[in-house]
């Protein structure tokens, strides 16, 4: 009943979530081998964070964290690694720091503003002049991109989806 074309990051995730709803009436198609190294989705990691400049973005990011937690629980393996996120703010920048901190505060996201001496104490690998400060958010981290794609495809299969690789789509026609 449903076909997902392309099984990189977005397609594999779509296939997984649809398989949970549709089960066996779903096919995922990839033009080359599954997990091929030529796509943007087969890198080692992608950033995940709650540090955004608008409330809707922070809310969307929270939903992404919840979705990853559901995937990890079903898969029985970790995909997201929380490392903490440290954003540096020079005196002059085109970014509106107040928008970031206000959005996180409005959504109840924990963060800290660190002055240069605090940065040097907590993160001695960084040496900045005193006019630099930072915003630290402990939930920032990385998603293992290759692992995430593999997990999504494996769970989609377990939920009844059929995956077909080496099947380029050359045309789509309405029936």
């Amino acid at each position: 009943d449903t076909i997902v074309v392309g099984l990189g990051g977005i397609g594999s995730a779509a296939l997984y979530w649809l398989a949970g709803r549709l089960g066996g009436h779903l096919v995922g198609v990839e033009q080359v081998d599954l997990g091929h190294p030529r796509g943007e989705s087969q890198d080692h990691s992608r950033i995940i964070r709650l540090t955004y400049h608008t409330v809707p973005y922070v809310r969307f990011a929270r939903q992404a964290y919840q979705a990853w937690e559901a995937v990890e629980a079903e898969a029985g393996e970790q995909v997201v690694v929380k490392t903490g996120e440290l954003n540096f703010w020079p005196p002059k920048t085109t970014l509106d720091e107040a928008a970031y901190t206000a959005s996180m505060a409005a959504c109840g996201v924990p963060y800290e503003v660190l002055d240069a001496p605090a940065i040097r104490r907590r993160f001695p690998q960084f040496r900045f002049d005193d006019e630099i400060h930072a915003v630290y958010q402990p939930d920032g981290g990385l998603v293992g991109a290759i692992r995430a794609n593999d997990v999504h495809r494996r769970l989609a299969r377990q939920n009844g989806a059929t995956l077909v690789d080496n099947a380029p789509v050359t045309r789509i026609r309405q029936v």
Side-chain angles (χ1 to χ4, degrees), residues 23-101:
H25 300 282
L26 179 64
V27 175
V29 179
E30 174 58 45
Q31 67 178 332
V32 293
D33 293 329
L34 292 174
H36 64 88
R38 298 185 308 209
E40 292 298 318
S41 299
Q42 286 299 117
D43 200 356
H44 59 86
S45 63
R46 291 289 183 262
I47 191 169
I48 187 167
R49 62 183 179 205
L50 294 170
T51 309
Y52 284 102
H53 63 293
T54 67
V55 168
Y57 272 48
V58 175
R59 289 182 180 150
F60 291 144
R62 274 230 161 112
Q63 291 172 346
Y65 275 88
Q66 291 168 352
W68 284 119
E69 287 170 9
V71 169
E72 288 176 329
E74 186 174 348
E77 67 180 278
Q78 184 179 18
V79 177
V80 175
V81 177
K82 292 182 181 179
T83 60
E85 179 190 12
L86 190 62
N87 291 287
F88 301 108
W89 293 92
K92 293 182 181 179
T93 178
T94 58
L95 299 176
D96 181 4
E97 178 185 356
Y100 285 80
T101 56

